[in-house]
Amino acid sequence: MTAHLADSAFLRACRREPVPHTPVWFMRQAGRSLPEYRRVREGTSMLAACATPDLVVEITMQPVRRYSTDAAIFFSDIVVPLKAIGIDLDIQPGVGPVVGSPIRDASGVAALRPLEPSDVPYVTESIQALVKELDRVPLIGFAGGPFTLASYLIEGGPSKNHDRTKAMMYGAPELWHELMDRLTAITLAFLRVQVAAGASAVQLFDSWVGAVAPADYRTYVLPHTSRIFAGLADLGVPRIHFGVGTGELLGLMGEVGADVVGVDWRVPLDEAALRVGPGKALQGNLDPAVLLAPWDVVEPRARDVLERGRVAEGHVFNLGHGVLPSTDPDQLARLADFVHEASAR
């Protein structure tokens, strides 16, 4: 990593160092809210797009050209490593990942093989090209957390209550831990490939882990997530952890070894700082739906997030979840500029 890159506001905030301004990026900043994204994706499936380096580079760069964000996030999907090891799955528009043969027994779990770098050459190629093009803008690599991946594999697709997932977790704990062990190894390998190719930071999205109570998180999830963060420690890049509906889990998420804890919009950042505890930076947490309102509604709410974020040892401004598809890109551009101006030290 070049000195210029290491000195970026985003990486400094992740390391809890002084910054010239609060850095900002947006989850799903590359995607359906951008007309240029819809144009280049036309006629190409999501998984095909993720495996086409030229498209990955173009889509990752689109928001960087449009907004004054302090980081880019690699365009991919959390199920890419599962597809790469041969799982029969597809991402269906309007639905999400759908698994052909859900994993619900020991033979299904045994079929999950480790991920090798040679399974995802397009990831390495895309990131190497992106790092050159981004120059001084850090690139964030990412993966899905093991609970969220397990839920897709067990349920066969998105689920409201995660019934079958929890049935295995509670009723067949040995099988559950074997599944989580395998997904942990796959996720760790996928993140290490991204850092080896040049990613400056990584984010673990455990999107649906908010479905789990704290005591169950400690027993069934935390040991596996901790292994992922411990397995990245030697790489020296900031590690971010994010989940939705995880207000009750923030203290535990602070324990698993991430440098930065992402906070959804339900918990104010000053309260989140108390729950997470010392020694961590925070990321978040404007409600993405606020951006659908007029600017005179957005501005005071963004200012409130910045004010509360000052309590944290480091703060990366973001939304509390991904950019909604109906968001006006001009609102995001204005928000990124506002965060820089309002937080300038």
Side-chain angles (χ1 to χ4, degrees), residues 11-48:
L11 293 172
R12 289 183 68 90
C14 290
R15 297 191 301 258
R16 314 192 313 281
E17 295 170 0
V19 287
H21 57 259
T22 300
V24 54
W25 70 278
F26 306 115
M27 290 183 279
R28 293 203 197 122
Q29 63 188 22
R32 293 171 294 176
S33 62
L34 294 178
E36 56 267 41
Y37 169 81
R38 294 194 294 271
R39 276 198 299 275
V40 298
R41 265 291 313 281
E42 209 170 330
T44 307
S45 74
M46 179 65 181
L47 286 170

Short mmCIF file of all heavy atoms in Angstrom, two decimals, residues 11-48:
data_model
loop_
_atom_site.label_atom_id
_atom_site.label_comp_id
_atom_site.label_asym_id
_atom_site.label_seq_id
_atom_site.Cartn_x
_atom_site.Cartn_y
_atom_site.Cartn_z
N LEU A 11 -8.94 5.31 5.80
CA LEU A 11 -8.11 4.35 6.53
C LEU A 11 -7.66 4.93 7.87
O LEU A 11 -7.56 4.19 8.86
CB LEU A 11 -6.92 3.93 5.67
CG LEU A 11 -7.30 3.09 4.44
CD1 LEU A 11 -6.09 2.87 3.53
CD2 LEU A 11 -7.91 1.76 4.83
N ARG A 12 -7.43 6.24 7.92
CA ARG A 12 -7.06 6.88 9.21
C ARG A 12 -8.22 6.75 10.21
O ARG A 12 -7.99 6.44 11.39
CB ARG A 12 -6.69 8.34 9.00
CG ARG A 12 -5.35 8.55 8.29
CD ARG A 12 -4.99 10.02 8.19
NE ARG A 12 -4.71 10.59 9.50
CZ ARG A 12 -3.51 10.62 10.07
NH1 ARG A 12 -2.46 10.12 9.43
NH2 ARG A 12 -3.34 11.15 11.26
N ALA A 13 -9.43 7.00 9.76
CA ALA A 13 -10.59 6.90 10.67
C ALA A 13 -10.76 5.46 11.16
O ALA A 13 -11.07 5.22 12.33
CB ALA A 13 -11.86 7.38 9.97
N CYS A 14 -10.55 4.49 10.26
CA CYS A 14 -10.65 3.07 10.65
C CYS A 14 -9.61 2.73 11.73
O CYS A 14 -9.86 1.89 12.60
CB CYS A 14 -10.43 2.16 9.45
SG CYS A 14 -11.76 2.18 8.24
N ARG A 15 -8.46 3.40 11.65
CA ARG A 15 -7.38 3.15 12.64
C ARG A 15 -7.52 4.06 13.86
O ARG A 15 -6.65 4.07 14.72
CB ARG A 15 -6.01 3.36 11.98
CG ARG A 15 -5.69 2.41 10.83
CD ARG A 15 -4.22 2.49 10.42
NE ARG A 15 -3.83 3.82 10.00
CZ ARG A 15 -3.69 4.20 8.72
NH1 ARG A 15 -3.91 3.33 7.74
NH2 ARG A 15 -3.33 5.42 8.42
N ARG A 16 -8.59 4.85 13.92
CA ARG A 16 -8.87 5.77 15.04
C ARG A 16 -7.79 6.85 15.17
O ARG A 16 -7.44 7.27 16.26
CB ARG A 16 -9.06 5.00 16.36
CG ARG A 16 -9.97 3.80 16.24
CD ARG A 16 -10.39 3.19 17.55
NE ARG A 16 -9.34 2.98 18.50
CZ ARG A 16 -8.46 1.98 18.48
NH1 ARG A 16 -8.52 1.06 17.52
NH2 ARG A 16 -7.55 1.87 19.42
N GLU A 17 -7.30 7.31 14.01
CA GLU A 17 -6.30 8.39 13.98
C GLU A 17 -6.99 9.70 13.59
O GLU A 17 -8.09 9.68 13.04
CB GLU A 17 -5.21 8.05 12.95
CG GLU A 17 -4.39 6.83 13.31
CD GLU A 17 -3.48 6.34 12.20
OE1 GLU A 17 -3.46 6.96 11.12
OE2 GLU A 17 -2.81 5.32 12.41
N PRO A 18 -6.36 10.85 13.86
CA PRO A 18 -6.97 12.14 13.47
C PRO A 18 -7.20 12.21 11.96
O PRO A 18 -6.40 11.68 11.18
CB PRO A 18 -5.92 13.17 13.91
CG PRO A 18 -5.07 12.47 14.93
CD PRO A 18 -5.07 11.02 14.55
N VAL A 19 -8.30 12.85 11.57
CA VAL A 19 -8.66 12.96 10.15
C VAL A 19 -8.96 14.42 9.79
O VAL A 19 -9.39 15.19 10.65
CB VAL A 19 -9.90 12.10 9.81
CG1 VAL A 19 -9.57 10.63 9.80
CG2 VAL A 19 -11.04 12.38 10.79
N PRO A 20 -8.72 14.82 8.52
CA PRO A 20 -9.03 16.19 8.10
C PRO A 20 -10.53 16.45 8.03
O PRO A 20 -11.00 17.58 8.12
CB PRO A 20 -8.38 16.31 6.72
CG PRO A 20 -8.27 14.88 6.23
CD PRO A 20 -8.09 14.03 7.44
N HIS A 21 -11.29 15.38 7.84
CA HIS A 21 -12.76 15.44 7.80
C HIS A 21 -13.27 14.03 8.04
O HIS A 21 -12.52 13.06 7.87
CB HIS A 21 -13.26 15.96 6.44
CG HIS A 21 -12.79 15.12 5.29
ND1 HIS A 21 -11.73 15.48 4.48
CD2 HIS A 21 -13.18 13.89 4.82
CE1 HIS A 21 -11.51 14.54 3.58
NE2 HIS A 21 -12.37 13.56 3.77
N THR A 22 -14.54 13.91 8.42
CA THR A 22 -15.13 12.57 8.57
C THR A 22 -15.24 11.94 7.19
O THR A 22 -15.88 12.51 6.30
CB THR A 22 -16.52 12.67 9.23
OG1 THR A 22 -16.36 13.27 10.51
CG2 THR A 22 -17.14 11.29 9.39
N PRO A 23 -14.63 10.78 6.98
CA PRO A 23 -14.73 10.14 5.66
C PRO A 23 -16.13 9.55 5.46
O PRO A 23 -16.83 9.23 6.43
CB PRO A 23 -13.67 9.05 5.71
CG PRO A 23 -13.50 8.74 7.16
CD PRO A 23 -13.79 10.01 7.91
N VAL A 24 -16.50 9.39 4.20
CA VAL A 24 -17.84 8.89 3.89
C VAL A 24 -17.78 7.94 2.70
O VAL A 24 -17.03 8.16 1.74
CB VAL A 24 -18.82 10.07 3.60
CG1 VAL A 24 -18.28 11.00 2.52
CG2 VAL A 24 -20.20 9.58 3.22
N TRP A 25 -18.52 6.85 2.79
CA TRP A 25 -18.84 6.01 1.64
C TRP A 25 -20.22 5.43 1.93
O TRP A 25 -20.73 5.57 3.04
CB TRP A 25 -17.79 4.93 1.37
CG TRP A 25 -17.70 3.81 2.35
CD1 TRP A 25 -17.04 3.81 3.54
CD2 TRP A 25 -18.28 2.49 2.24
NE1 TRP A 25 -17.18 2.60 4.18
CE2 TRP A 25 -17.93 1.77 3.40
CE3 TRP A 25 -19.07 1.87 1.26
CZ2 TRP A 25 -18.34 0.46 3.62
CZ3 TRP A 25 -19.46 0.56 1.49
CH2 TRP A 25 -19.10 -0.15 2.65
N PHE A 26 -20.83 4.81 0.93
CA PHE A 26 -22.19 4.31 1.11
C PHE A 26 -22.27 2.83 0.73
O PHE A 26 -21.83 2.45 -0.36
CB PHE A 26 -23.18 5.09 0.23
CG PHE A 26 -23.13 6.58 0.44
CD1 PHE A 26 -22.72 7.41 -0.59
CD2 PHE A 26 -23.50 7.15 1.65
CE1 PHE A 26 -22.67 8.79 -0.42
CE2 PHE A 26 -23.46 8.52 1.83
CZ PHE A 26 -23.05 9.35 0.79
N MET A 27 -22.84 2.03 1.62
CA MET A 27 -23.09 0.64 1.25
C MET A 27 -24.06 0.64 0.06
O MET A 27 -25.03 1.39 0.04
CB MET A 27 -23.67 -0.13 2.44
CG MET A 27 -22.65 -0.33 3.53
SD MET A 27 -23.24 -1.30 4.93
CE MET A 27 -24.14 -0.08 5.86
N ARG A 28 -23.78 -0.20 -0.95
CA ARG A 28 -24.50 -0.24 -2.22
C ARG A 28 -24.42 1.09 -2.97
O ARG A 28 -25.36 1.47 -3.66
CB ARG A 28 -25.98 -0.63 -2.03
CG ARG A 28 -26.17 -2.06 -1.56
CD ARG A 28 -27.56 -2.58 -1.91
NE ARG A 28 -27.84 -3.77 -1.11
CZ ARG A 28 -28.88 -3.89 -0.28
NH1 ARG A 28 -29.76 -2.93 -0.17
NH2 ARG A 28 -29.05 -4.98 0.41
N GLN A 29 -23.30 1.79 -2.85
CA GLN A 29 -23.14 3.03 -3.62
C GLN A 29 -23.04 2.71 -5.11
O GLN A 29 -23.43 3.53 -5.95
CB GLN A 29 -21.92 3.83 -3.14
CG GLN A 29 -20.56 3.15 -3.30
CD GLN A 29 -19.43 3.93 -2.62
OE1 GLN A 29 -19.67 4.73 -1.72
NE2 GLN A 29 -18.19 3.70 -3.02
N ALA A 30 -22.54 1.52 -5.44
CA ALA A 30 -22.55 1.06 -6.82
C ALA A 30 -23.78 0.18 -6.97
O ALA A 30 -23.92 -0.80 -6.25
CB ALA A 30 -21.30 0.25 -7.12
N GLY A 31 -24.68 0.52 -7.87
CA GLY A 31 -25.85 -0.34 -7.99
C GLY A 31 -27.06 0.36 -8.57
O GLY A 31 -26.94 1.36 -9.28
N ARG A 32 -28.22 -0.18 -8.23
CA ARG A 32 -29.45 0.13 -8.95
C ARG A 32 -29.90 1.58 -8.88
O ARG A 32 -30.75 1.99 -9.67
CB ARG A 32 -30.58 -0.77 -8.41
CG ARG A 32 -30.39 -2.23 -8.74
CD ARG A 32 -31.38 -3.11 -8.02
NE ARG A 32 -31.19 -3.10 -6.58
CZ ARG A 32 -31.97 -3.71 -5.70
NH1 ARG A 32 -33.02 -4.39 -6.14
NH2 ARG A 32 -31.73 -3.65 -4.41
N SER A 33 -29.37 2.37 -7.95
CA SER A 33 -29.78 3.77 -7.91
C SER A 33 -29.13 4.59 -9.03
O SER A 33 -29.55 5.71 -9.29
CB SER A 33 -29.43 4.39 -6.55
OG SER A 33 -28.03 4.36 -6.35
N LEU A 34 -28.12 4.02 -9.69
CA LEU A 34 -27.41 4.77 -10.74
C LEU A 34 -27.88 4.37 -12.13
O LEU A 34 -27.83 3.19 -12.49
CB LEU A 34 -25.90 4.51 -10.64
CG LEU A 34 -25.19 5.03 -9.38
CD1 LEU A 34 -23.72 4.66 -9.42
CD2 LEU A 34 -25.34 6.54 -9.27
N PRO A 35 -28.31 5.35 -12.94
CA PRO A 35 -28.74 5.03 -14.30
C PRO A 35 -27.63 4.39 -15.13
O PRO A 35 -27.87 3.51 -15.95
CB PRO A 35 -29.18 6.38 -14.89
CG PRO A 35 -28.64 7.43 -13.96
CD PRO A 35 -28.49 6.79 -12.62
N GLU A 36 -26.38 4.83 -14.89
CA GLU A 36 -25.27 4.25 -15.66
C GLU A 36 -25.05 2.78 -15.29
O GLU A 36 -24.62 1.99 -16.12
CB GLU A 36 -23.98 5.07 -15.48
CG GLU A 36 -23.50 5.27 -14.05
CD GLU A 36 -23.99 6.55 -13.39
OE1 GLU A 36 -25.17 6.92 -13.59
OE2 GLU A 36 -23.19 7.18 -12.67
N TYR A 37 -25.37 2.42 -14.04
CA TYR A 37 -25.29 1.02 -13.62
C TYR A 37 -26.34 0.20 -14.35
O TYR A 37 -26.06 -0.87 -14.89
CB TYR A 37 -25.50 0.89 -12.10
CG TYR A 37 -25.68 -0.54 -11.62
CD1 TYR A 37 -24.59 -1.37 -11.42
CD2 TYR A 37 -26.96 -1.06 -11.40
CE1 TYR A 37 -24.75 -2.68 -10.99
CE2 TYR A 37 -27.13 -2.37 -10.96
CZ TYR A 37 -26.03 -3.18 -10.76
OH TYR A 37 -26.20 -4.47 -10.35
N ARG A 38 -27.56 0.71 -14.38
CA ARG A 38 -28.65 -0.04 -15.05
C ARG A 38 -28.32 -0.24 -16.53
O ARG A 38 -28.61 -1.29 -17.10
CB ARG A 38 -29.98 0.70 -14.86
CG ARG A 38 -30.43 0.72 -13.39
CD ARG A 38 -31.88 1.14 -13.26
NE ARG A 38 -32.13 2.51 -13.65
CZ ARG A 38 -32.06 3.57 -12.84
NH1 ARG A 38 -31.71 3.41 -11.56
NH2 ARG A 38 -32.32 4.77 -13.27
N ARG A 39 -27.66 0.75 -17.12
CA ARG A 39 -27.30 0.63 -18.54
C ARG A 39 -26.28 -0.48 -18.77
O ARG A 39 -26.46 -1.33 -19.63
CB ARG A 39 -26.74 1.97 -19.07
CG ARG A 39 -27.81 2.96 -19.51
CD ARG A 39 -27.23 4.05 -20.41
NE ARG A 39 -26.20 4.83 -19.73
CZ ARG A 39 -26.44 5.89 -18.93
NH1 ARG A 39 -27.68 6.28 -18.72
NH2 ARG A 39 -25.45 6.55 -18.37
N VAL A 40 -25.20 -0.50 -17.96
CA VAL A 40 -24.14 -1.50 -18.23
C VAL A 40 -24.56 -2.91 -17.81
O VAL A 40 -24.04 -3.89 -18.33
CB VAL A 40 -22.78 -1.14 -17.57
CG1 VAL A 40 -22.25 0.16 -18.10
CG2 VAL A 40 -22.84 -1.15 -16.07
N ARG A 41 -25.51 -3.00 -16.88
CA ARG A 41 -25.96 -4.32 -16.43
C ARG A 41 -27.04 -4.92 -17.32
O ARG A 41 -27.36 -6.11 -17.20
CB ARG A 41 -26.54 -4.20 -15.00
CG ARG A 41 -25.60 -4.50 -13.84
CD ARG A 41 -25.18 -5.94 -13.72
NE ARG A 41 -26.27 -6.90 -13.80
CZ ARG A 41 -27.12 -7.19 -12.82
NH1 ARG A 41 -27.00 -6.60 -11.66
NH2 ARG A 41 -28.07 -8.08 -13.00
N GLU A 42 -27.58 -4.14 -18.24
CA GLU A 42 -28.70 -4.61 -19.05
C GLU A 42 -28.33 -5.90 -19.80
O GLU A 42 -27.31 -5.97 -20.48
CB GLU A 42 -29.10 -3.53 -20.07
CG GLU A 42 -30.55 -3.58 -20.43
CD GLU A 42 -30.99 -2.36 -21.25
OE1 GLU A 42 -30.42 -1.27 -21.07
OE2 GLU A 42 -31.90 -2.53 -22.07
N GLY A 43 -29.14 -6.93 -19.60
CA GLY A 43 -28.93 -8.19 -20.31
C GLY A 43 -27.85 -9.09 -19.71
O GLY A 43 -27.56 -10.15 -20.24
N THR A 44 -27.24 -8.66 -18.58
CA THR A 44 -26.22 -9.48 -17.92
C THR A 44 -26.70 -9.85 -16.52
O THR A 44 -27.07 -8.97 -15.75
CB THR A 44 -24.88 -8.70 -17.80
OG1 THR A 44 -24.52 -8.23 -19.09
CG2 THR A 44 -23.77 -9.60 -17.26
N SER A 45 -26.68 -11.12 -16.20
CA SER A 45 -27.12 -11.54 -14.86
C SER A 45 -26.14 -11.03 -13.80
O SER A 45 -24.98 -10.73 -14.10
CB SER A 45 -27.22 -13.06 -14.77
OG SER A 45 -25.91 -13.61 -14.70
N MET A 46 -26.60 -10.95 -12.56
CA MET A 46 -25.76 -10.45 -11.47
C MET A 46 -24.49 -11.29 -11.32
O MET A 46 -23.38 -10.75 -11.26
CB MET A 46 -26.57 -10.47 -10.16
CG MET A 46 -25.80 -10.00 -8.95
SD MET A 46 -25.35 -8.26 -9.08
CE MET A 46 -24.44 -8.05 -7.54
N LEU A 47 -24.63 -12.61 -11.29
CA LEU A 47 -23.44 -13.45 -11.09
C LEU A 47 -22.49 -13.40 -12.28
O LEU A 47 -21.27 -13.47 -12.11
CB LEU A 47 -23.86 -14.89 -10.77
CG LEU A 47 -24.41 -15.08 -9.35
CD1 LEU A 47 -25.03 -16.46 -9.18
CD2 LEU A 47 -23.32 -14.85 -8.30
N ALA A 48 -23.03 -13.25 -13.48
CA ALA A 48 -22.16 -13.10 -14.66
C ALA A 48 -21.40 -11.78 -14.58
O ALA A 48 -20.20 -11.72 -14.90
CB ALA A 48 -22.99 -13.17 -15.94
#
